[in-house]
Amino acid sequence: MDMSFEAGVNTIAFHPSRDILAAGDVDGDVFVYSYSCVEYENKELWSSGHHLKSCRDVAFSSDGQQLFTVSKDKSIHILNVEEGKLVKRITKAHESALNRLLLIDENLFATGDDSGMLKVWDLRRGTAFMEMKNHEEYISDMVIDQNKKMLLTASGDGTMGVFNIKRRKFELLSEYQNGDLTSISIMKRGRKVACGSSEGTIYLFNWNGFGATSDRFAIKAESIDCMLPITDSIVCTGSMDGIIRAVSILPNRVIGTVGQHPGEPIEQLAKSRDGRFLASCAHDQKVKFWDASNIGSIVVDVYRKRKKNRQLTALSKKAFGGADDFFADLKEDREESKEKEVEQEDEEDSDSDDSDSD
């Protein structure tokens, strides 16, 4: 069932080994819930109000014993997951409001702020050993490669940043793209990097070819505000129109809809540890759960096919047009208006030849 909150939820994260979800809201409160498929069994375990302003990002440690949070109040908090007690507080961690958090390993984590500053912290020393400001605008998302060496950032200035944390050095910025880069994912067994943009376009880069894009395609959404890898070739995107789309990367194609917060911009997506559930938070002050168990088994035909039916395929029962869609019986009556609002399942805006070559 949906989880309802008194304020808008900015960020969510699943526990790595238990059926627990953390959420941070615009008032600075952090909540930890146990979730269940049994009706009315979602239960609040504890909440924390230590942040003075909006909680922007949350993440569980790899062992699941600690919860890291960052806030607009410029502080970093580390909480005990069992009881919600504050274990460590770093006040004034940045000069600007914190926006993003990335846990690298059991000792290292990175933070990005509204001014474009990146810091990498070592918990053993309690300080940042790397501070670099190469972006002109906020850092919207971060990801690190499997070797824990190259850290990539997406920024509101329209560039992707590349940082070598082993050598503690800045490598390069990509060329400027149209609109803000809002999200970043490593795809195709580490050979591709995908960046979502506020213009509704996904930009693709080759690994070690970070300077310029190798491909781009529009998903016919108003924006891409967040993006989450489901498999090595499929991401889910959240947009201002409130629709969660499953998108194939090479071949570039919108596969269908996973769920929706009707008319409410989606803030963040998270995937459960077993991959069965996708969770989403939006401006409607709700956290919703979607069945993602079948997305990984989808095989996308490499040949383009223009669908006569313009409505996107429902990939979960609760998605528009799915078996549990309350309005499914009214589908025929609203089909004309829906066709104008929802994108076609073709990719004429793609610059790609649908190949997977580097």
Side-chain angles (χ1 to χ4, degrees):
M1 294 184 66
D2 298 347
M3 294 177 181
S4 296
F5 296 81
E6 293 182 2
V9 177
N10 288 323
T11 175
I12 49 177
F14 280 100
H15 193 277
S17 59
R18 297 165 60 188
D19 291 343
I20 291 175
L21 178 133
D25 71 17
V26 296
D27 290 339
D29 295 323
V30 176
F31 300 87
V32 170
Y33 276 78
S34 62
Y35 61 89
S36 172
C37 289
V38 179
E39 200 169 12
Y40 303 112
E41 285 297 309
N42 292 340
K43 180 183 177 183
E44 182 182 325
L45 301 179
W46 54 264
S47 64
S48 166
H50 291 294
H51 282 303
L52 303 177
K53 295 181 180 180
S54 176
C55 178
R56 296 272 189 82
D57 208 3
V58 296
F60 285 100
S61 60
S62 58
D63 61 9
Q65 295 183 15
Q66 294 182 325
L67 179 69
F68 290 67
T69 67
V70 297
S71 169
K72 187 179 178 181
D73 66 11
K74 307 175 186 178
S75 71
I76 302 167
H77 289 174
I78 304 175
L79 302 163
N80 177 286
V81 170
E82 279 301 321
E83 302 169 347
K85 289 184 178 179
L86 185 63
V87 176
K88 186 177 182 64
R89 176 193 283 124
I90 304 174
T91 56
K92 297 182 180 178
H94 284 234
E95 293 183 6
S96 299
L98 284 159
N99 193 56
R100 203 65 177 166
L101 165 70
L102 176 69
L103 302 191
I104 298 170
D105 59 26
E106 63 271 14
N107 297 312
L108 306 182
F109 68 96
T111 51
D113 71 21
D114 281 357
S115 71
M117 171 69 77
L118 168 72
K119 291 189 179 185
V120 183
W121 304 76
D122 190 333
L123 285 170
R124 293 164 295 191
R125 296 192 296 181
T127 58
F129 65 85
M130 193 169 159
E131 299 184 20
M132 295 189 174
K133 188 179 184 305
N134 300 95
H135 289 294
E136 299 169 6
E137 293 286 344
Y138 66 96
I139 292 176
S140 58
D141 202 4
M142 298 184 287
V143 68
I144 195 160
D145 69 340
Q146 196 171 10
N147 297 323
K148 311 292 187 184
K149 177 183 177 182
M150 305 301 292
L151 188 149
L152 310 180
T153 56
S155 172
D157 63 13
T159 65
M160 178 180 71
V162 183
F163 301 85
N164 187 324
I165 65 167
K166 295 287 188 184
R167 296 182 178 178
R168 304 184 183 186
K169 61 181 280 191
F170 163 71
E171 295 284 347
L172 60 94
L173 288 182
S174 74
E175 62 185 11
Y176 288 89
Q177 313 301 329
N178 293 329
D180 301 10
L181 293 188
T182 59
S183 47
I184 187 167
S185 300
I186 297 174
M187 308 296 294
K188 295 291 183 180
R189 299 178 297 281
R191 291 184 288 116
K192 298 284 183 179
V193 178
C195 291
S197 81
S198 60
E199 302 292 311
T201 299
I202 293 178
Y203 295 96
L204 299 180
F205 297 83
N206 290 326
W207 193 263
N208 289 330
F210 298 126
T213 58
S214 64
D215 195 6
R216 69 191 70 190
F217 72 105
I219 68 167
K220 297 187 176 67
E222 189 176 345
S223 65
I224 299 171
D225 295 333
C226 53
M227 187 167 65
L228 179 74
I230 302 299
T231 70
D232 218 29
S233 301
I234 296 174
V235 296
C236 280
T237 64
S239 301
M240 283 188 70
D241 58 12
I243 297 175
I244 303 166
R245 296 167 173 85
V247 181
S248 167
I249 303 295
L250 295 171
N252 299 332
R253 195 158 310 156
V254 179
I255 303 168
T257 60
V258 179
Q260 64 284 319
H261 295 251
E264 299 288 347
I266 294 172
E267 287 286 345
Q268 203 170 69
L269 302 171
K271 184 175 65 172
S272 65
R273 67 183 189 279
D274 55 8
R276 290 175 59 202
F277 305 116
L278 184 75
S280 57
C281 60
H283 290 191
D284 56 6
Q285 302 178 10
K286 290 181 180 179
V287 172
K288 295 187 176 187
F289 295 86
W290 314 97
D291 181 6
S293 57
N294 294 323
I295 297 176
S297 61
I298 293 173
V299 178
V300 180
D301 193 337
V302 296
Y303 298 103
R304 295 184 179 184
K305 292 184 179 179
R306 179 189 286 273
K307 297 282 187 178
K308 290 184 179 179
N309 178 13
R310 294 170 128 187
Q311 182 164 323
L312 287 174
T313 304
L315 301 179
S316 72
K317 288 183 178 180
K318 293 199 298 182
F320 280 141
D324 290 348
D325 181 3
F326 178 78
F327 298 103
D329 292 338
L330 304 177
K331 191 161 126 189
E332 291 184 8
D333 294 337
R334 68 177 187 176
E335 191 166 13
E336 288 187 13
S337 61
K338 284 295 294 177
E339 285 181 352
K340 294 177 183 176
E341 296 171 4
V342 186
E343 73 208 57
Q344 300 175 10
E345 193 176 345
D346 66 65
E347 60 291 335
E348 286 185 344
D349 291 340
S350 175
D351 293 341
S352 169
D353 59 359
D354 279 355
S355 67
D356 192 6
S357 62
D358 291 335

